[in-house]
Amino acid sequence: MEKSKISDPFKKARLEKGIGEMNDQNDPVTMVLGHKDVRKCAHNWKTFQSGGEEVGRIVVPSEVHIRDTRQIPFEVDPPEHKGYRDIVEPWFKRPLEAKYQENLSQIINNVVDEALSKETIEVVEEFALKLQSRALTILLNVPPEKADLWISWGTHVFRSEDTALDSSKANILYDYIDAELDKAIANPGNDLYSVLLASENNGTKLTKEEAKGVMILTFAGGRDTVINAVTNSIAYFAEHPQALERLRDEPEIMNTAIEELIRYFSPLTQMGRVVTEDTQVCEHALKAQSRISMCWASANRDERVFEKANEVVLDRKVNPHVAFGFGTHNCLGATHARQIMRILLTVLTQKVKSMEILDCEENIENLDEFKRKVGFDSIQVKFNKL
Amino acid sequence: MAKITFITSDGNTTIVEGSTGSVMELAVQNKIKGIDGDCGGVCSCATCHVHVNPEQWDKTGAPDELENDMLEFDDNVSEYSRLSCQMKVSEDLDGLILTVAK
Ligand code: FES
């Protein structure tokens, strides 16, 4: 039962100090660990800013040195934030439409069928990455073949194996988006690129740079996170066949099960903010211009909020997790992610009897004081038909 | 059966009827504007926030602690705020009037 376990390395620091410290490229981060403090900071966008001058600084590890394009609406604060969010929000709610779900279901059925047809499969590259990339073509409303190139980039397109950030790798994505935007300018269609370029914010058309900011966010924000959620789900159900059995018998717990798995996995460990004025959190002084992060993964294990916080309780009814963030900047892709989880779990209950983990290598994030498992670098699994 | 009235931000009034599930689910089924129910009712998204008609506060009762913590950080919170996913549809709620929070 150990391989699918995601432990909580923050417990001691959360209870004793409420914060952790992490050095990130000489730009230290005070990690906020408690559920209540995390929500308080996320709510207070004036003191804990996303839209500061230095683009990329709220991401941990910082992307200041590898990115100049502002991600939108992510790195814009109110009141401007609202104009952008209103533009993209309806598009990112499309996963609620029946047609969208049908297409997504087709994709997920295909990857599951492929896994069942093979002797064994490496789930990160051959299952989760494919699923995530193909699902993204639906979110962007582009032809399915577009996913082939994204899949060929591998899982390390934004990070190289040894250094956390690699600008030459990041540029592959930025150049690709530039080229796709140019095509959409020349030949507008019904895809997200074209829709953004035709959108207006307060009566002015979005610039190419602004559209690029939304596209980078869409590609980057939904890649590792979805891959981790999918891979961790496979690992969890491989080690807990009775949980898969239960979902088969009680489909009515599907919603609570999804939210619980997302809480437990917390595919995005943390997100940063820049402090705009001298203040404090948990009696810890913070200087203006320093950085904090809201550690979603720690907040989601806060024993003051969640009973049996380190257990997966599939029918947890009240589950105020912050795995999709909280407040103004909550996750734009959450509707898409939730549909992926819903359909994946449904297809697994329909087609898969059991799964076995044959071999795996964990993906451990090094957060100085803490080491956190966020998923797997690779995991070899055998899928057995129902 | 309970009849519940929703007043939405555009000033429209819709009366819906239900007997099971949560008030949020009833609102979503009836496409009440402003009730999204993103988290499906686990008290994690606050997209189901309503203001209860003050005279009927006894009918619904006050939020419990976790619900209250969630509401605390909502910009449009009032003394009569509830998350509609945390209210069960039952006879007791018959005649309830809810204003959807912005
Ligand atoms: S539906 Fe998400 S909190 Fe009520």
Side-chain angles (χ1 to χ4, degrees):
Chain A
M1 297 292 206
E2 287 301 302
K3 290 185 184 118
S4 66
K5 188 172 157 191
I6 311 260
S7 55
D8 168 27
F10 309 106
K11 182 175 176 129
K12 190 159 176 280
R14 181 175 59 236
L15 292 175
E16 285 173 8
K17 301 181 287 176
I19 57 152
E21 316 235 23
M22 175 182 168
N23 187 12
D24 167 26
Q25 304 161 69
N26 298 319
D27 188 4
V29 185
T30 300
M31 300 171 69
V32 180
L33 301 175
H35 188 268
K36 189 156 197 153
D37 292 317
V38 161
R39 289 215 294 206
K40 216 188 258 172
C41 294
H43 179 69
N44 188 355
W45 51 264
K46 282 191 184 136
T47 306
F48 305 108
Q49 169 186 62
S50 295
E53 253 166 64
E54 290 161 292
V55 167
R57 197 169 169 225
I58 64 167
V59 186
V60 185
S62 168
E63 296 178 356
V64 165
H65 302 297
I66 61 160
R67 174 161 62 82
D68 301 316
T69 301
R70 183 176 295 277
Q71 290 189 10
I72 293 176
F74 174 62
E75 290 174 307
V76 184
D77 280 314
E80 292 78 19
H81 175 266
K82 189 176 183 324
Y84 291 117
R85 184 88 187 204
D86 287 350
I87 292 174
V88 292
E89 191 89 43
W91 184 270
F92 282 84
K93 288 275 179 200
R94 285 161 51 252
L96 297 175
E97 295 166 9
K99 184 73 196 144
Y100 191 105
Q101 293 172 14
E102 230 173 82
N103 292 338
L104 196 51
S105 179
Q106 188 68 57
I107 284 171
I108 295 178
N109 270 286
N110 286 346
V111 289
V112 171
D113 288 343
E114 195 191 329
L116 283 166
S117 73
K118 289 189 173 172
E119 203 43 45
T120 80
I121 187 165
E122 197 288 291
V123 170
V124 179
E125 291 267 347
E126 295 173 51
F127 185 92
L129 172 63
K130 281 187 190 171
L131 192 167
Q132 182 274 334
S133 299
R134 290 176 189 161
L136 186 60
T137 65
I138 307 179
L139 183 60
L140 304 193
N141 201 28
V142 297
E145 314 79 76
K146 292 275 181 189
D148 298 345
L149 178 66
W150 311 339
I151 294 166
S152 77
W153 289 337
T155 46
H156 286 281
V157 62
F158 309 118
R159 321 241 127 132
S160 55
E161 318 268 339
D162 33 324
T163 59
L165 294 164
D166 182 330
S167 60
S168 62
K169 292 221 169 188
N171 281 332
I172 296 177
L173 175 71
Y174 305 158
D175 294 346
Y176 172 81
I177 291 173
D178 264 327
E180 293 298 299
L181 281 167
D182 286 336
K183 284 186 214 162
I185 291 168
N187 258 317
N190 298 321
D191 47 69
L192 179 57
Y193 305 97
S194 306
V195 167
L196 290 172
L197 290 164
S199 300
E200 288 187 6
N201 189 8
N202 292 322
T204 0
K205 277 238 166 91
L206 285 201
T207 61
K208 184 186 163 193
E209 181 69 7
E210 288 171 316
K212 186 176 171 186
V214 177
M215 294 310 303
I216 295 178
L217 173 66
T218 309
F219 270 91
R223 193 161 167 110
D224 293 357
T225 47
V226 170
I227 290 172
N228 286 334
V230 167
T231 310
N232 287 334
S233 298
I234 298 297
Y236 174 77
F237 287 111
E239 287 194 329
H240 300 85
Q242 74 287 2
L244 191 59
E245 206 56 52
R246 181 163 179 211
L247 274 182
R248 231 188 307 273
D249 297 342
E250 295 174 63
E252 62 279 10
I253 66 162
M254 187 56 92
N255 188 77
T256 54
I258 292 166
E259 297 300 320
E260 176 66 347
L261 290 172
I262 291 172
R263 176 191 75 87
Y264 185 78
F265 300 149
S266 296
L268 181 68
T269 301
Q270 59 183 341
M271 184 48 68
R273 294 286 188 265
V274 173
V275 182
T276 57
E277 58 188 346
D278 289 356
T279 183
Q280 55 176 32
V281 67
C282 282
E283 292 162 13
H284 177 89
L286 296 171
K287 282 249 170 286
Q289 286 315 310
S290 66
R291 295 202 292 165
I292 63 158
S293 80
M294 296 155 301
C295 187
W296 317 119
S298 168
N300 282 341
R301 298 295 178 94
D302 194 327
E303 42 287 280
R304 292 161 292 198
V305 175
F306 303 99
E307 267 175 49
K308 301 191 196 153
N310 289 319
E311 282 174 38
V312 175
V313 180
L314 290 176
D315 57 358
R316 195 184 288 277
K317 288 195 181 56
V318 180
N319 190 350
H321 70 77
V322 286
F324 289 119
F326 185 74
T328 316
H329 291 288
N330 66 3
C331 177
L332 185 59
T335 315
H336 178 71
R338 284 180 163 122
Q339 278 315 323
I340 289 180
M341 287 293 283
R342 180 177 314 273
I343 296 171
L344 174 63
L345 267 50
T346 306
V347 174
L348 291 177
T349 61
Q350 289 165 348
K351 296 190 164 168
V352 177
K353 179 160 186 281
S354 63
M355 295 172 285
E356 285 157 63
I357 302 175
L358 304 174
D359 194 16
C360 66
E361 223 164 291
E362 296 185 332
N363 176 2
I364 312 272
E365 285 179 344
N366 182 356
L367 314 166
D368 277 352
E369 203 181 325
F370 313 104
K371 315 283 171 237
R372 175 176 190 250
K373 173 176 165 189
V374 68
F376 297 88
D377 281 333
S378 68
I379 173 166
Q380 198 70 36
V381 177
K382 176 165 173 40
F383 281 60
N384 302 310
K385 274 198 193 70
L386 191 62
Chain B
M1 266 305 177
K3 274 196 180 138
I4 298 178
T5 303
F6 290 94
I7 305 170
T8 46
S9 61
D10 50 15
N12 282 337
T13 296
T14 316
I15 303 176
V16 303
E17 265 183 73
S19 49
T20 55
S22 72
V23 174
M24 177 279 288
E25 285 165 338
L26 186 64
V28 170
Q29 280 153 22
N30 288 281
K31 305 208 161 47
I32 302 293
K33 210 178 142 227
I35 305 270
D36 297 336
D38 286 351
C39 74
V42 299
C43 201
S44 147
C45 73
T47 63
C48 63
H49 180 186
V50 293
H51 303 288
V52 176
N53 171 18
E55 279 147 39
Q56 296 175 309
W57 189 240
D58 288 348
K59 267 187 193 291
T60 64
D64 72 11
E65 198 191 331
L66 290 179
E67 182 184 337
N68 209 26
D69 287 348
M70 190 77 196
L71 285 164
E72 189 191 329
F73 294 115
D74 199 293
D75 287 329
N76 300 303
V77 69
S78 74
E79 268 174 89
Y80 301 104
S81 282
R82 287 293 313 265
L83 293 176
S84 59
C85 69
Q86 301 303 305
M87 299 194 284
K88 256 191 147 43
V89 177
S90 74
E91 296 283 339
D92 299 347
L93 297 190
D94 190 38
L96 185 65
I97 302 172
L98 301 171
T99 304
V100 177
K102 284 202 180 92

